[in-house]
């Protein structure tokens, strides 16, 4: 049993702190054994709280023994990962934004960080773009080259060299790309289920879900997507469009709210994590109230978080290739030749 292995592992610790941890785990282990005995005769269809508590304590033992830091899947953006404690199985994560703010670019940046850098198998399913258009955006993101240059074929020798150096990782990445001619829930859900079963996917990224309506009730698809995440036991990321009237003041331009969301009640109600991406430079605002430079920056507002704090932070953003990175990690003086940084040990970084 994994809990037994965790206890054996902790037995090898020799420090005073280690002995204290070991003692605590023995107490937990005895508690789990007691729960097993007290619940072994229960035959209820519904799961008893004792069984749920036992499973949670076993997960806690495994985490403490492995000491892997932030649990769940990592986005590659350390402030986001620390705030949400990683993205967990069965969760719905919504990335919202006004027009031209980069909500799809942020979704694809998270997907790239997971799949290309950490080899996590994912599905990207777009209802707005054909596969080739999605792949073009991924190539620009991976290579750090302007998308318009790739589309026009206007590529110099240096850029060809960059493409040759960086495409191998993208080609080998466990990403399944799909598009759809269906705007009903049935075919979309069936495709996601088949892809997860066949390719053992760990996350799903959906783009354009606002175009889909429930087949019978003509209502939002958001609730069905949350149900799908629970059924498949993977986190699902979606984008959401904000089309509310933007106020005239700089404060209103710099602080989008969930009131601007289409289908606000469903998105806010079903999402486990809801974040809003905003780029003040679109409104020609280049400094915030704290005096921070907002050139080439994006504000990320976490407005709902079921496991932690809400708040906002800044990311670097390259508009020409749609790349997000941790603040201060993009060298904008070397626009053609840069690496999108990814931090492996996210738990060691400051908030």
């Amino acid at each position: 049993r994994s809990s037994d292995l965790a206890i054996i592992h902790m037995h090898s610790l020799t420090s005073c702190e280690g002995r204290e941890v070991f003692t605590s785990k023995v107490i937990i282990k005895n508690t789990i054994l007691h729960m097993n005995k007290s619940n072994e005769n229960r035959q209820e269809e519904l799961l008893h709280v004792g069984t749920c508590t036992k499973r949670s304590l076993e997960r806690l033992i495994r985490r403490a023994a492995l000491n892997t830091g932030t649990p769940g899947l990592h986005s590659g953006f350390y402030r986001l990962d620390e705030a949400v404690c990683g993205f967990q199985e069965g969760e719905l994560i919504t990335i919202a934004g006004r027009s031209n703010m980069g909500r799809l670019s942020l979704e694809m940046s998270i997907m790239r960080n997971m799949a290309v850098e950490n080899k996590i198998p994912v599905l990207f399913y777009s209802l707005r773009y054909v596969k080739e258009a999605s792949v073009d955006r991924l190539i620009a993101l991976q290579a750090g080259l302007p998308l318009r240059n790739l589309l026009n074929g206007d590529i110099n020798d240096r850029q060809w060299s960059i493409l040759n150096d960086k495409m191998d990782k993208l080609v080998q990445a466990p990403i399944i790309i799909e598009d759809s001619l269906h705007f009903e829930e049935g075919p979309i859900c069936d495709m996601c289920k088949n892809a997860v079963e066949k390719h053992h996917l760990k996350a799903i990224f959906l783009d354009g879900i606002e175009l889909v309506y429930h087949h019978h009730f003509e209502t939002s698809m958001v609730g069905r997507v949350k149900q799908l995440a629970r059924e498949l036991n993977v986190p699902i990321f979606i984008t959401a469009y904000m089309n509310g009237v933007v106020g005239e003041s700089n404060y209103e331009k710099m602080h989008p709210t969930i009131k601007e969301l289409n289908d606000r009640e469903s998105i806010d109600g079903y999402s486990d994590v809801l974040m809003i991406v905003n780029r003040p430079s679109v409104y020609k605002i280049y400094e915030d109230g704290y005096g921070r430079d907002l050139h080439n920056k994006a504000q990320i507002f976490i407005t709902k978080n079921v496991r932690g704090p809400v708040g906002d932070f800044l990311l670097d953003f390259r508009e020409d290739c749609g790349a997000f990175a941790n603040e201060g990690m993009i060298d904008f003086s070397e626009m053609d030749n840069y690496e999108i940084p990814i931090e492996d040990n996210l738990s060691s970084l400051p908030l």
Side-chain angles (χ1 to χ4, degrees), residues 23 42 65 76 89 128 181 188 257 279 291 324 349:
T23 301
R42 295 185 180 274
E89 298 169 341
R128 295 194 296 167
L181 296 176
I188 294 173
T257 68
R279 294 194 293 124
F324 284 85
L349 297 174

Side-chain angles (χ1 to χ4, degrees), residues 191-322:
M191 197 285 302
C192 290
K193 292 176 182 178
N194 292 336
V196 169
E197 181 179 354
K198 181 177 180 180
H199 300 284
H200 308 288
L201 305 176
K202 300 299 182 183
I204 295 174
F205 293 82
L206 299 179
D207 173 50
I209 200 68
E210 65 271 13
L211 302 175
V212 182
Y213 292 87
H214 193 286
H215 182 61
H216 298 292
F217 304 105
E218 295 186 353
T219 57
S220 169
M221 181 70 174
V222 178
R224 182 64 186 96
V225 174
K226 170 60 180 177
Q227 182 183 1
L228 183 65
R230 294 280 300 273
E231 291 175 5
L232 300 180
N233 205 30
V234 299
I236 296 181
F237 295 75
I238 64 172
T239 55
Y241 177 59
M242 305 176 72
N243 67 348
V245 177
V246 180
E248 293 298 324
S249 71
N250 284 356
Y251 181 87
E252 291 172 307
K253 293 175 180 177
M254 292 180 61
H255 294 81
T257 68
I258 61 173
K259 293 180 180 180
E260 301 175 38
L261 279 169
N262 287 338
D263 196 19
R264 179 185 65 184
E265 290 79 8
S266 293
I267 292 173
D268 188 42
Y270 287 111
S271 296
D272 297 284
V273 176
L274 172 57
M275 64 186 97
I276 300 174
V277 57
N278 190 55
R279 294 194 293 124
S281 59
V282 172
Y283 306 111
K284 301 190 183 305
I285 299 173
Y286 301 107
E287 186 176 293
D288 65 8
Y290 302 101
R292 295 180 297 184
D293 182 13
L294 298 179
H295 286 84
N296 302 310
K297 303 292 183 183
Q299 298 170 301
I300 309 298
F301 295 89
I302 303 175
T303 62
K304 182 179 180 182
N305 180 10
V306 295
R307 284 184 310 282
V310 296
D312 66 283
F313 58 93
L314 296 178
L315 292 176
D316 286 348
F317 180 67
R318 273 194 58 181
E319 185 174 6
D320 61 347
C321 64

Side-chain angles (χ1 to χ4, degrees), residues 52-300:
C52 295
T53 304
K54 178 179 72 70
R55 294 176 180 175
S56 294
L57 291 174
E58 288 176 338
R59 287 196 299 270
L60 176 59
I61 288 174
R62 290 194 293 270
R63 290 172 186 165
L66 296 174
N67 192 25
T68 54
T70 306
L73 300 181
H74 293 171
S75 70
F77 305 119
Y78 61 82
R79 292 184 182 272
L80 176 59
D81 292 321
E82 290 284 0
V84 303
C85 296
F87 299 108
Q88 309 297 320
E89 298 169 341
E91 287 189 339
L92 177 64
I93 301 96
T94 301
I95 302 172
R98 298 165 179 160
S99 181
N100 297 319
M101 289 298 168
R103 60 188 184 278
L104 176 57
S105 294
L106 180 57
E107 183 183 47
M108 296 190 81
S109 291
I110 293 174
M111 179 185 69
R112 174 208 169 272
N113 291 346
M114 286 185 182
V116 176
E117 298 296 337
N118 293 319
K119 306 301 181 185
I120 295 170
V122 303
L123 167 68
F124 180 76
Y125 192 168
S126 178
L127 286 87
R128 295 194 296 167
Y129 298 104
V130 296
K131 298 181 184 74
E132 293 77 10
S134 297
V135 172
D136 287 341
R137 295 178 68 102
L138 264 179
I139 292 173
L141 176 61
Q142 172 66 12
L145 297 177
L147 177 60
R148 65 178 180 273
N149 287 33
L150 300 179
L151 296 178
N152 294 334
D154 183 16
I155 303 174
N156 58 37
D157 291 342
R158 183 187 182 190
Q159 291 170 332
W160 276 119
S161 178
I162 293 172
L163 282 170
N164 288 333
D165 290 341
K166 297 186 177 182
M167 284 305 98
D168 282 347
K169 293 182 70 174
L170 180 58
V171 170
Q172 299 299 324
I175 302 174
I176 304 300
I177 300 284
E178 187 56 87
D179 53 23
S180 177
L181 296 176
H182 302 283
F183 291 90
E184 298 177 359
E185 70 163 284
I188 294 173
C189 292
D190 290 343
M191 197 285 302
C192 290
K193 292 176 182 178
N194 292 336
V196 169
E197 181 179 354
K198 181 177 180 180
H199 300 284
H200 308 288
L201 305 176
K202 300 299 182 183
I204 295 174
F205 293 82
L206 299 179
D207 173 50
I209 200 68
E210 65 271 13
L211 302 175
V212 182
Y213 292 87
H214 193 286
H215 182 61
H216 298 292
F217 304 105
E218 295 186 353
T219 57
S220 169
M221 181 70 174
V222 178
R224 182 64 186 96
V225 174
K226 170 60 180 177
Q227 182 183 1
L228 183 65
R230 294 280 300 273
E231 291 175 5
L232 300 180
N233 205 30
V234 299
I236 296 181
F237 295 75
I238 64 172
T239 55
Y241 177 59
M242 305 176 72
N243 67 348
V245 177
V246 180
E248 293 298 324
S249 71
N250 284 356
Y251 181 87
E252 291 172 307
K253 293 175 180 177
M254 292 180 61
H255 294 81
T257 68
I258 61 173
K259 293 180 180 180
E260 301 175 38
L261 279 169
N262 287 338
D263 196 19
R264 179 185 65 184
E265 290 79 8
S266 293
I267 292 173
D268 188 42
Y270 287 111
S271 296
D272 297 284
V273 176
L274 172 57
M275 64 186 97
I276 300 174
V277 57
N278 190 55
R279 294 194 293 124
S281 59
V282 172
Y283 306 111
K284 301 190 183 305
I285 299 173
Y286 301 107
E287 186 176 293
D288 65 8
Y290 302 101
R292 295 180 297 184
D293 182 13
L294 298 179
H295 286 84
N296 302 310
K297 303 292 183 183
Q299 298 170 301
I300 309 298

